[in-house]
Amino acid sequence: MYKKNAGIRNVAVLCAILLIFGIALFGCFGQIRNSLQQQLMSSIEGMAEQNEILIEKEVSTRFRLLSSLAREFSDGDESIFVDRLQGFVETYQFKRMGYIASDGIAQTTDGYHLDMSDRETFRQSMQGKQRLTDTFEDQIDGSDEIVNAFSVPVYEKDQKTVKGVLFATGRYEMFEGCLQNEIFEGQAFNYIVKMDGMIIAASGNSKEWGIGKNIFTADISADENDDAAKSRMISDMKSGKSGYGMDPKRKEVSLYYYMPLKIEETGDEWYVVTAASESVLTNRMQVVMDAINSLIIIILVIISVSVGVYIYSWRKSKKELISLAYQDPVTLGDNFAAFKEKAKSKKDGAGWLAAMDLADFKLINSTCGVKKGDEVLRAVSEIFENEKGDNELVAHVNADRFVLFWMEENQDAIKERLERVIKKIEEIPERLEIPNLFPVFGIYHTMVLDEIDPLYGNAVLAKHQIKGRRDRHYMFYDELNHESIQENRELEDHFEMALEKEEFAIWYQPKYSAHTRKLVGAEALVRWRRQDGSLIPLLKFIPLFERNGNIIRLDEYVFRAVCRQQKAWQEQGQKMFPVSVNISRVSLYYSNVVEKYESIIRSYDLDSKYIQLEITESATIDNNEIFNLLEQFHTAGFKILLDDFGSGYSSLSTLNRMHFDTIKLDKSLVDYIGDDNGEKLLNSITKLAQSFGMEITAEGVETAEQLMFLCNLDCDDIQGYYFSRPLPVREYEECLKEACM
């Protein structure tokens, strides 16, 4: 009887344990599913944002082209102009381009003459508006191909009267190409839709949503549709908001994110939508489920032996899951997510939040290898961990970025601790045999740690004010010059207008032969003069535009302006000399940069020997594609000059690895003239470069002694104030005339 009761009791205990285990397992599944679902929605949002950037960039690029061509056409001949458009059709992947006269009669690049006076795009653009249509079937050539139309007004010379419309027909593949960023093994889909839900463009193989369908009604009956999700999406679109959607009754598009496209030319607002099926979440869960199923078997075996072992194993597995979410894989310490979680639980949030990174850390990865770079990050993390006090936090954010929370009463105490860790970080290179490290900190004083992101953003803002400088390691947020920050914002806001008003002027610094003292060319330099006559210093806007990406458009603007001016001088019969144009390191990362510049110079029917390209030495350090880019530029006929040679870290290795036609000795090297060791260095560098078949141009030459020394080194060209300062166009034209005498 006792054994029977004991058996019943054991069975009851086992059932209770299984029930508790089942409940716990169900909760664990729910937590993991919710976490994965949040990650999935975050990934979908990130893809939607990427699609938005690509689409707006493609549309903006084409409208800038059309606007530029329209300005050139103000006083041009229609037939000649239409013939010129063919090159742009191929370069920008249009189906056709054309010009519509004020009477509505259009000429196209593919030979059609037709009446387009009834087209809404024609009427809108004749009223001075730029327009981008919805997708429609092309009826002009009878192909029924899905296309979009871009149109801009063409003004008379007075820039007030619209004389016609310039248009371009974009193939459906343009938007489809922007949406081809497949994620989740082809189970996610990207769309462009109108506010009423009509689909304009789509990617992927979704059967539910396709061109011409409506996302609110496509392939699903009204009683099956999630009215709440639909209503929320419609409301958000009317308000111009972004948002998530979940409609489990839809099979292929049950999870989606939508956000507005900032394209004013469409008339009706467009939205980009990225969607994924429920199966994506299920597939992600499967890996976790397989692992947990294995764990269940182990636990069931352990239960028969000891409930205690089971509890221990369950706690251990839970700890491992948490560590996957909050442990940094490089330093094995806390990641940024763990930092945020721990900050939320802190009762006392008064202290100093610091953002830190290492200047030129990419140099270590590129020269010493990623493995050595990870070793450096672990060494830095160890320093911070050893410095961390009770209730203080430290985490590795990403790359070479760290975030710290220190609790001190005043700045003096913080500065003392900063100096201590900076000294320790600067001792790492000697131990690991790497280039010197230069840590940079931004510090923000806070009283609460409720929202980390804005606090961290303030610390990063302070850090960025000294990034690139070598005179200080840290800056407090309170030290920021907020007037300067506001000034930078105003410059960013004014950039578009400055391009339109042609406030950026091109100056030319002449280059002279070292031996004949005659003009041999020039370097194009940009100057920004506002409408009120004020001159914006280069150091104010060039670094700013390099950070925000506007430098790409400024580089292209300068290149076009130089090509236009060279062509004008050629048509005037001026003696032609090559002009070198700077390309920033940011522009070199731009896709199809070679094709873009080749297309521009070809549009002016200008020989590439009259336009040379200057690339700074620093641009060669962390761009793995620079070698291929140089070869492509050479194939296109451009000569490449290595600018600021001698100012970077890897000058000699740069000469050995890459093919440059000319190296330009930086002024810092030229200033060595007069110093024995400096002159020996110059002599060695020039002989080495000449042995590679490169020409030598010396920058910053200011004295006769410098000129004589460089002549003795058989230097080819001289650039500097000894011969001429940078000149505006009219003064440089005088130099051209003197060179012809």
Side-chain angles (χ1 to χ4, degrees):
M1 187 69 176
Y2 175 79
K3 292 183 178 179
K4 183 177 180 180
N5 290 338
I8 295 174
R9 187 166 57 252
N10 290 338
V11 170
V13 171
L14 181 61
C15 290
I17 293 173
L18 290 174
L19 178 62
I20 295 172
F21 171 71
I23 295 173
L25 183 62
F26 180 79
C28 185
F29 271 124
Q31 282 187 347
I32 295 173
R33 182 180 179 84
N34 290 337
S35 177
L36 290 175
Q37 183 172 292
Q38 290 176 2
Q39 293 180 19
L40 174 62
M41 295 306 290
S42 179
S43 298
I44 293 175
E45 179 182 357
M47 182 55 62
E49 291 174 348
Q50 183 178 344
N51 290 335
E52 177 207 22
I53 293 171
L54 290 173
I55 294 166
E56 291 173 359
K57 175 183 172 183
E58 289 293 331
V59 172
S60 175
T61 298
R62 284 158 174 76
F63 272 116
R64 286 201 306 273
L65 170 68
L66 293 178
S67 298
S68 175
L69 293 173
R71 287 195 295 271
E72 293 183 19
F73 184 49
S74 295
D75 56 352
D77 179 80
E78 297 177 8
S79 60
I80 296 176
F81 182 74
V82 172
D83 290 340
R84 280 188 57 203
L85 295 178
Q86 186 59 46
F88 295 99
V89 172
E90 298 171 358
T91 301
Y92 287 82
Q93 299 180 332
F94 290 128
K95 181 175 182 180
R96 70 172 62 87
M97 296 177 70
Y99 173 76
I100 311 174
S102 58
D103 59 359
I105 302 302
Q107 299 181 50
T108 70
T109 53
D110 49 358
Y112 290 97
H113 292 260
L114 64 158
D115 186 355
M116 299 181 69
S117 58
D118 60 338
R119 304 293 177 92
E120 182 64 22
T121 54
F122 167 71
R123 290 196 293 265
Q124 292 283 336
S125 292
M126 285 298 294
Q127 296 175 13
K129 299 178 180 178
Q130 296 184 348
R131 303 297 298 171
L132 170 59
T133 69
D134 300 341
T135 51
F136 61 91
E137 294 182 351
D138 187 3
Q139 301 295 329
I140 292 180
D141 58 3
S143 65
D144 293 337
E145 181 179 355
I146 301 298
V147 294
N148 298 82
F150 299 76
S151 63
V152 299
V154 178
Y155 290 89
E156 297 284 1
K157 289 183 180 180
D158 59 6
Q159 296 298 311
K160 296 180 180 179
T161 306
V162 179
K163 61 182 279 189
V165 175
L166 179 64
F167 74 93
T169 302
R171 298 182 185 276
Y172 171 74
E173 289 82 358
M174 180 190 76
F175 287 129
E176 189 180 48
C178 296
L179 300 174
Q180 285 302 325
N181 301 305
E182 293 190 0
I183 54 175
F184 309 135
E185 292 78 37
Q187 298 183 65
F189 317 101
N190 302 307
Y191 308 90
I192 301 175
V193 303
K194 296 173 62 177
M195 283 182 56
D196 60 3
M198 191 61 63
I199 297 174
I200 295 173
S203 73
N205 55 359
S206 172
K207 297 178 181 178
E208 289 194 33
W209 289 359
I211 295 295
K213 293 185 178 181
N214 191 293
I215 62 174
F216 299 130
T217 60
D219 294 346
I220 190 166
S221 62
D223 58 341
E224 292 177 329
N225 194 20
D226 187 339
D227 292 334
K230 173 182 174 181
S231 300
R232 182 169 59 255
M233 189 172 182
I234 293 174
S235 175
D236 285 346
M237 285 186 171
K238 289 181 179 180
S239 303
K241 298 179 180 178
S242 303
Y244 294 98
M246 296 179 61
D247 194 345
K249 294 180 181 179
R250 293 187 184 272
K251 295 180 180 179
E252 293 189 15
V253 289
S254 56
L255 306 171
Y256 50 89
Y257 181 82
Y258 47 90
M259 64 186 305
L261 288 168
K262 302 179 181 65
I263 305 176
E264 299 179 355
E265 294 84 0
T266 57
D268 294 333
E269 188 163 1
W270 290 2
Y271 267 72
V272 61
V273 181
T274 297
S277 65
E278 179 75 14
S279 62
V280 175
L281 182 60
T282 303
N283 292 339
R284 290 190 167 195
M285 280 288 296
Q286 189 62 46
V287 178
V288 180
M289 290 174 64
D290 292 342
I292 295 180
N293 287 336
S294 299
L295 183 62
I296 292 174
I297 296 174
I298 295 173
I299 292 176
L300 289 176
V301 173
I302 295 175
I303 288 175
S304 63
V305 178
S306 170
V307 174
V309 175
Y310 158 70
I311 296 174
Y312 170 78
S313 300
W314 182 79
R315 287 180 177 176
K316 182 178 180 181
S317 66
K318 185 177 180 181
K319 184 178 180 180
E320 289 175 351
L321 289 174
I322 294 175
S323 69
L324 289 174
Y326 295 110
Q327 185 181 68
D328 182 76
V330 177
T331 66
L332 302 182
D334 286 345
N335 61 15
F336 198 30
F339 186 94
K340 292 180 180 179
E341 288 298 319
K342 290 181 179 180
K344 290 179 182 178
S345 63
K346 284 185 63 63
K347 296 181 180 179
D348 184 4
W352 306 80
L353 193 76
M356 189 285 285
D357 67 19
L358 301 169
D360 298 322
F361 182 74
K362 290 181 179 179
L363 178 64
I364 295 176
N365 281 335
S366 62
T367 58
C368 304
V370 175
K371 185 176 180 181
K372 180 66 72 173
D374 289 346
E375 190 176 351
V376 172
L377 295 178
R378 285 190 287 272
V380 173
S381 177
E382 183 179 353
I383 291 173
F384 289 146
E385 289 289 349
N386 292 336
E387 178 67 26
K388 182 179 70 173
D390 295 339
N391 295 322
E392 294 185 336
L393 304 174
V394 59
H396 179 214
V397 180
N398 54 44
D400 59 320
R401 301 176 180 88
F402 288 82
V403 60
L404 315 169
F405 177 72
W406 287 348
M407 302 179 70
E408 295 290 350
E409 294 183 358
N410 52 59
Q411 280 193 9
D412 291 337
I414 288 294
K415 289 179 180 179
E416 183 178 343
R417 293 182 68 178
L418 286 171
E419 295 294 345
R420 186 163 57 247
V421 298
I422 289 169
K423 182 178 179 181
K424 292 180 180 179
I425 291 173
E426 290 178 337
E427 293 172 353
I428 293 175
E430 183 177 358
R431 173 160 48 92
L432 299 183
E433 298 180 348
I434 60 171
N436 290 336
L437 296 177
F438 193 92
V440 183
F441 294 81
I443 308 100
Y444 181 76
H445 184 255
T446 178
M447 299 304 296
V448 292
L449 285 177
D450 51 354
E451 292 291 338
I452 292 297
D453 286 329
L455 304 180
Y456 179 68
N458 289 337
V460 170
L461 182 61
K463 179 186 66 178
H464 281 169
Q465 304 310 305
I466 56 172
K467 194 71 180 289
R469 293 169 53 177
R470 295 284 175 167
D471 58 332
R472 60 186 301 181
H473 287 276
Y474 52 85
M475 173 174 277
F476 290 87
Y477 181 80
D478 294 340
E479 298 178 78
L480 291 183
N481 184 344
H482 293 281
E483 292 183 2
S484 176
I485 295 173
Q486 180 61 32
E487 183 180 358
N488 286 342
R489 289 175 180 168
E490 291 176 359
L491 291 179
E492 289 178 321
D493 294 341
H494 190 74
F495 177 71
E496 293 289 343
M497 184 178 294
L499 288 179
E500 183 178 345
K501 300 294 185 182
E502 297 184 350
E503 293 181 1
F504 295 103
I506 311 302
W507 286 42
Y508 296 82
Q509 182 160 30
K511 301 176 186 176
Y512 289 85
S513 169
H515 301 289
T516 66
R517 311 294 200 270
K518 291 184 178 180
L519 183 71
V520 293
E523 177 184 358
L525 304 171
V526 65
R527 298 290 185 266
W528 188 359
R529 189 174 296 278
R530 300 284 291 270
Q531 295 289 312
D532 59 5
S534 61
L535 189 66
I536 309 298
L538 282 174
L539 291 179
K540 272 192 176 293
F541 68 89
I542 292 296
L544 173 65
F545 292 163
E546 286 179 340
R547 290 196 300 270
N548 63 24
N550 284 340
I551 194 68
I552 296 174
R553 295 181 58 195
L554 183 58
D555 282 351
E556 182 181 332
Y557 174 93
V558 173
F559 186 81
R560 285 184 182 275
V562 172
C563 289
R564 188 183 307 117
Q565 184 63 66
Q566 286 284 71
K567 186 63 178 178
W569 282 332
Q570 186 180 58
E571 292 175 347
Q572 294 168 11
Q574 290 277 16
K575 184 176 180 180
M576 298 294 289
F577 294 99
V579 175
S580 60
V581 180
N582 289 280
I583 299 183
S584 70
R585 61 192 300 173
V586 180
S587 292
L588 293 176
Y589 284 98
Y590 184 71
S591 60
N592 301 324
V593 60
V594 179
E595 292 85 346
K596 169 71 73 175
Y597 279 67
E598 186 180 11
S599 172
I600 293 172
I601 197 170
R602 191 169 58 240
S603 70
Y604 287 97
D605 192 23
L606 191 65
D607 195 320
S608 57
K609 69 182 180 180
Y610 296 126
I611 303 290
Q612 301 174 343
L613 302 177
E614 294 196 16
I615 298 174
T616 60
E617 182 187 3
S618 61
T620 67
I621 294 177
D622 55 1
N623 189 338
N624 295 326
E625 297 298 322
I626 190 67
F627 179 82
N628 292 331
L629 282 175
L630 294 182
E631 292 304 311
Q632 292 176 41
F633 275 125
H634 278 124
T635 302
F638 292 102
K639 283 191 174 183
I640 308 297
L641 286 61
L642 178 59
D643 195 17
D644 298 337
F645 181 78
S647 63
Y649 291 96
S650 55
S651 302
L652 298 181
S653 62
T654 299
L655 291 184
N656 182 48
R657 291 184 294 111
M658 301 177 189
H659 176 205
F660 291 94
D661 300 285
T662 301
I663 66 168
K664 300 184 70 177
L665 300 177
D666 188 69
K667 186 180 185 301
S668 61
L669 288 179
V670 174
D671 288 341
Y672 281 144
I673 296 174
D675 175 80
D676 289 341
N677 291 332
E679 291 181 353
K680 290 178 182 178
L681 177 62
L682 271 173
N683 184 52
S684 300
I685 289 175
T686 53
K687 285 184 178 179
L688 177 62
Q690 288 164 348
S691 70
F692 287 138
M694 301 178 185
E695 296 182 352
I696 308 293
T697 297
E699 297 182 290
V701 178
E702 298 177 349
T703 67
E705 290 76 14
Q706 291 175 338
L707 176 62
M708 185 61 65
F709 182 84
L710 293 167
C711 286
N712 292 335
L713 291 182
D714 202 21
C715 182
D716 296 283
D717 303 330
I718 302 297
Q719 182 179 334
Y721 276 54
Y722 180 81
F723 281 109
S724 175
R725 60 178 176 82
L727 303 173
V729 174
R730 291 185 180 179
E731 293 184 27
Y732 179 65
E733 286 179 338
E734 295 299 321
C735 291
L736 292 177
K737 293 176 182 177
E738 291 177 5
C740 297
M741 297 175 63

